[in-house]
């Protein structure tokens, strides 16, 4: 066989339209995308729909939407066209048929029981994996395998090889679960005298308990991350670190930096852990990088009740420091909109346990609050002075006030909340707390 080279770096992602965009697929897509961009090549999206007899347009759309949301635009594919189409396997059946016939004619494949089988010869099949180094299989371990099923659809191994070849894919970057398929695909390339692409097998994502991430254990659908209000930049940054590490050890970096610094050498063979705590932490960082104006726009679709732009605008800066994902926003701020539900037991537990003392504290506050200028600094001064004068324990007293006006123990700074709530609501809530305490 003559040594031939690819003229251009071309990578691909080849999802099946199952109705969801799997986060594991997005992770593989991201690495393909980055490598293609780094080398000014092309990133191809191919729909592998030969297992699904009926073409389901909605299932494809889910994939396109996920890629769009995450900024992983493909250069070729059913959604954008390209010179190597069609990009849906179900539309390529004649192409597969042609090569099936060729292989049978060359006596490299044969028909049996209504299917067509590839003839495996003796010897060894190996490749230099860009992540794992040399991988070699003894052909004895591999039996003849089906390339055309009895329903006249190609098998995965056959379709993927024909397509990668015909679409001039130079680098096949995919999950490690396909390592055992690779020798079969290489044998098909050799039988067709086709140029064999380079292979890179990425480590599989794992749960914190080291099991493989799967629908049953974890949310794997990109739409779930979208509904939870993770920012796409954060999810991308998080996925970049699944197996790959930044040369300067950075955790936070943009996709452009990833594209610039990407290399196969920096991908570890061991399974990266999909740790939601880390994702939440990262999302919080990206949220804090947003301007207040942008964040206001982002949280709006997550509001359960309609509130005015003015009020969201006042609340957002207070909450920004503590927000980890956008869907937490409405729950964190519900006390600004409706009356909070006060748990008397919590109020007593956290506020110093003595009902009488807490009631008296609130009464004394209410007696003077009327006169206070409604500003953070003035409010803080007043609350500190009244604490000192009466010898109260500051931490407990402030907590009691916090619970009385918000129903929560963790909130943005107390006096900033009061300013946004306004004098009327603040005093009414303290008064109702007194009543609740009986
Ligand atoms: N449709 C296959 C999958 O999603 C493609 C595998 C490959 O990249 O070759 O697993």
């Amino acid at each position: 066989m003559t040594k031939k080279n690819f003229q251009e770096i071309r990578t691909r992602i080849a999802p099946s339209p199952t109705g969801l965009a799997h986060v594991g697929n997005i992770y593989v897509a991201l690495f393909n995308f980055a490598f293609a961009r780094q080398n000014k090549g092309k990133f191809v999206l191919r729909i592998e729909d030969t297992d699904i007899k009926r073409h389901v347009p909605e299932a494809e759309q889910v994939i396109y939407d996920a890629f769009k949301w995450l900024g992983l635009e493909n250069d070729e594919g059913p959604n954008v066209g390209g010179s190597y189409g069609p990009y849906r396997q179900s539309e390529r059946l004649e192409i597969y048929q042609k090569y099936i016939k060729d292989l049978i004619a060359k006596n490299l494949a044969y028909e049996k029981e209504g299917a067509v089988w590839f003839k495996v010869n003796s010897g060894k099949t190996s490749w230099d994996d860009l992540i794992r180094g040399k991988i070699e299989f003894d052909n004895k371990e591999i039996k003849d395998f089906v390339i055309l099923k009895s329903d006249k659809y190609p098998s995965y191994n056959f379709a993927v090889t024909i397509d990668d070849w015909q679409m001039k894919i130079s680098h096949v970057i995919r999950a490690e679960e396909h390592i055992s398929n690779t020798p079969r695909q290489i044998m098909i390339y050799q039988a067709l005298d086709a140029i064999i692409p380079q292979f890179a097998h990425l480590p599989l994502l794992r749960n914190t308990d080291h099991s493989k991430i799967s629908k049953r254990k974890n949310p794997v659908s990109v739409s779930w991350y979208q509904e939870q209000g993770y920012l796409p930049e954060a999810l991308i940054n998080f996925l970049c670190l699944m197996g790959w590490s930044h040369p300067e050890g950075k955790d936070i970096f943009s996709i452009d930096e990833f594209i610039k610094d990407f290399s196969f050498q920096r991908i570890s063979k061991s399974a990266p852990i999909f740790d939601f705590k880390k994702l939440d932490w990262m999302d919080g960082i990206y949220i804090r990088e947003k301007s207040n104006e942008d964040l206001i726009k982002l949280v709006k679709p997550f509001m359960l009740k309609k509130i005015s732009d003015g009020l969201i605008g006042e609340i957002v800066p207070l909450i920004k420091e503590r927000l980890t994902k956008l869907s937490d926003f409405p729950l964190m701020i519900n006390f600004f909109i409706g009356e909070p539900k006060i748990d008397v037991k919590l109020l007593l537990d956290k506020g110093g346990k003595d009902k009488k003392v807490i009631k008296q504290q609130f009464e004394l506050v209410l007696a003077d609050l009327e006169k206070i200028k409604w500003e953070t600094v003035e409010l803080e001064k007043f609350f500190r002075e009244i604490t000192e004068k009466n010898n109260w324990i500051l931490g407990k007293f402030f907590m009691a006030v916090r619970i009385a006006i918000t129903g929560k123990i963790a909130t943005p700074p107390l006096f900033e909340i009061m300013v946004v709530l306004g004098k009327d609501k603040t005093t009414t809530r303290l008064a109702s707390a007194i009543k609740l305490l009986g």
Side-chain angles (χ1 to χ4, degrees):
M1 196 173 33
T2 47
K3 182 100 182 127
K4 289 168 259 181
N5 273 320
F6 289 96
Q7 316 242 303
E8 183 184 36
I9 302 283
R10 290 173 58 84
T11 64
R12 68 4 174 228
I13 184 75
S16 299
T18 55
L20 68 80
H22 194 291
V23 75
N25 250 321
I26 294 293
Y27 150 70
V28 176
L30 168 64
F31 283 53
N32 276 283
F33 172 81
F35 185 65
R37 287 287 171 276
Q38 182 184 59
N39 292 287
K40 314 256 173 304
K42 294 283 188 302
F43 170 55
V44 177
L45 171 62
R46 182 172 70 230
I47 296 290
E48 306 221 320
D49 57 353
T50 51
D51 264 347
I52 298 158
K53 306 278 146 65
R54 203 164 46 91
H55 177 217
V56 190
E58 306 80 48
E60 268 183 32
Q61 195 57 45
V62 168
I63 296 170
Y64 305 143
D65 290 347
F67 279 64
K68 184 157 183 241
W69 181 60
L70 292 161
L72 303 175
E73 303 90 21
N74 54 304
D75 303 300
E76 296 171 26
N79 54 338
V80 290
S83 341
Y84 299 91
Y87 293 93
R88 269 182 209 106
Q89 287 190 328
S90 59
E91 293 167 9
R92 302 175 60 80
L93 300 181
E94 282 171 20
I95 301 173
Y96 307 128
Q97 287 289 353
K98 169 174 175 325
Y99 292 106
I100 292 281
K101 279 196 197 118
D102 280 4
L103 290 180
I104 295 174
K106 285 201 251 167
N107 202 19
L108 297 169
Y110 57 89
E111 285 171 277
K112 192 179 86 183
E113 293 155 2
V116 178
W117 298 69
F118 186 84
K119 235 191 237 176
V120 175
N121 293 318
S122 59
K124 288 187 169 34
T125 303
S126 70
W127 73 96
D128 281 316
D129 197 275
L130 292 168
I131 297 170
R132 286 152 208 278
K134 184 169 176 176
I135 300 181
E136 185 173 74
F137 283 80
D138 193 324
N139 294 359
K140 272 195 245 132
E141 293 165 36
I142 301 168
K143 300 203 168 55
D144 290 0
F145 56 91
V146 170
I147 49 179
L148 190 74
K149 297 180 277 184
S150 49
D151 62 6
K152 303 297 167 222
Y153 275 72
S155 66
Y156 154 73
N157 275 313
F158 190 70
V160 97
T161 306
I162 298 296
D163 293 345
D164 285 342
W165 171 41
Q166 298 281 300
M167 294 180 186
K168 296 199 164 41
I169 300 303
S170 63
H171 292 73
V172 171
I173 306 165
R174 60 184 169 200
E176 68 180 306
E177 60 196 341
H178 289 294
I179 287 178
S180 62
N181 288 319
T182 307
R184 293 175 177 80
Q185 294 173 17
I186 290 176
M187 288 175 192
I188 300 171
Y189 282 108
Q190 287 166 336
L192 294 162
D193 197 17
I195 323 179
I196 302 172
Q198 302 232 59
F199 293 96
H201 287 94
L202 295 167
L204 278 181
L205 309 183
R206 306 256 164 200
N207 295 310
T208 36
D209 67 3
H210 293 266
S211 58
K212 182 179 153 186
I213 65 158
S214 70
K215 255 195 274 192
R216 270 174 297 122
K217 284 213 170 166
N218 251 333
V220 292
S221 161
V222 168
S223 61
W224 182 86
Y225 294 84
Q226 219 168 347
E227 282 154 19
Q228 288 295 306
Y230 288 103
L231 298 180
E233 308 89 294
L235 183 56
I236 287 285
N237 189 161
F238 176 76
L239 291 175
C240 288
L241 287 169
M242 292 289 107
W244 186 80
S245 60
H246 191 282
E248 290 159 39
K250 282 199 217 172
D251 268 325
I252 303 296
F253 49 84
S254 66
I255 191 162
D256 288 339
E257 247 181 285
F258 180 58
I259 292 169
K260 179 169 75 64
D261 291 329
F262 177 85
S263 74
F264 290 107
Q265 288 77 28
R266 298 204 64 80
I267 300 175
S268 118
K269 285 188 271 277
S270 59
I273 303 295
F274 200 97
D275 181 357
F276 279 87
K277 279 206 205 96
K278 183 159 183 181
L279 176 60
D280 283 352
W281 168 77
M282 270 191 177
D283 205 53
I285 289 183
Y286 278 90
I287 283 180
R288 284 184 274 293
E289 275 180 10
K290 294 276 174 206
S291 68
N292 289 343
E293 292 70 45
D294 286 345
L295 200 50
I296 291 167
K297 280 189 217 126
L298 287 166
V299 294
K300 260 187 166 174
F302 289 87
M303 291 307 302
L304 306 170
K305 283 193 189 133
K306 239 184 121 118
I307 67 171
S308 73
D309 283 7
L311 185 54
I312 298 197
E314 281 183 274
I315 296 172
V316 156
L318 300 189
I319 226 81
K320 200 171 172 182
E321 277 307 308
R322 303 182 46 244
L323 192 59
T324 51
K325 54 185 192 302
L326 303 174
S327 64
D328 292 339
F329 185 77
L331 281 180
M332 286 169 83
I333 63 121
N334 53 8
F335 61 85
F336 282 110
I337 303 160
E339 291 304 312
K341 237 179 95 71
I342 310 300
D343 176 348
V344 178
K345 192 173 165 311
L346 182 76
L347 176 57
L348 288 173
D349 277 357
K350 302 280 177 190
K353 301 214 164 54
D354 192 328
K355 204 184 260 193
K356 256 202 227 135
V357 174
I358 300 176
K359 266 176 78 172
Q360 193 205 10
Q361 288 172 330
F362 289 180
E363 278 160 4
L364 284 175
V365 166
L366 284 178
D368 281 340
L369 210 52
E370 217 28 63
K371 297 172 236 156
I372 308 301
K373 200 160 168 219
W374 212 250
E375 287 171 357
T376 322
V377 182
E378 292 299 317
L379 281 164
E380 178 156 7
K381 197 165 140 237
F382 165 72
F383 274 86
R384 285 188 183 277
E385 279 171 6
I386 199 169
T387 310
E388 221 167 278
K389 205 166 103 195
N390 295 287
N391 247 328
W392 294 332
I393 302 167
L394 186 125
K396 303 240 183 236
F397 168 51
F398 279 24
M399 184 52 92
V401 175
R402 184 186 306 278
I403 294 173
I405 66 173
T406 68
K408 297 182 199 300
I409 53 172
T411 68
L414 186 57
F415 307 111
E416 292 177 27
I417 294 177
M418 287 187 184
V419 169
V420 174
L421 265 183
K423 193 183 268 188
D424 282 356
K425 277 197 176 152
T426 307
T427 51
T428 317
R429 288 181 189 185
L430 286 172
S432 345
I434 294 174
K435 267 200 210 131
L436 264 179
L437 287 167

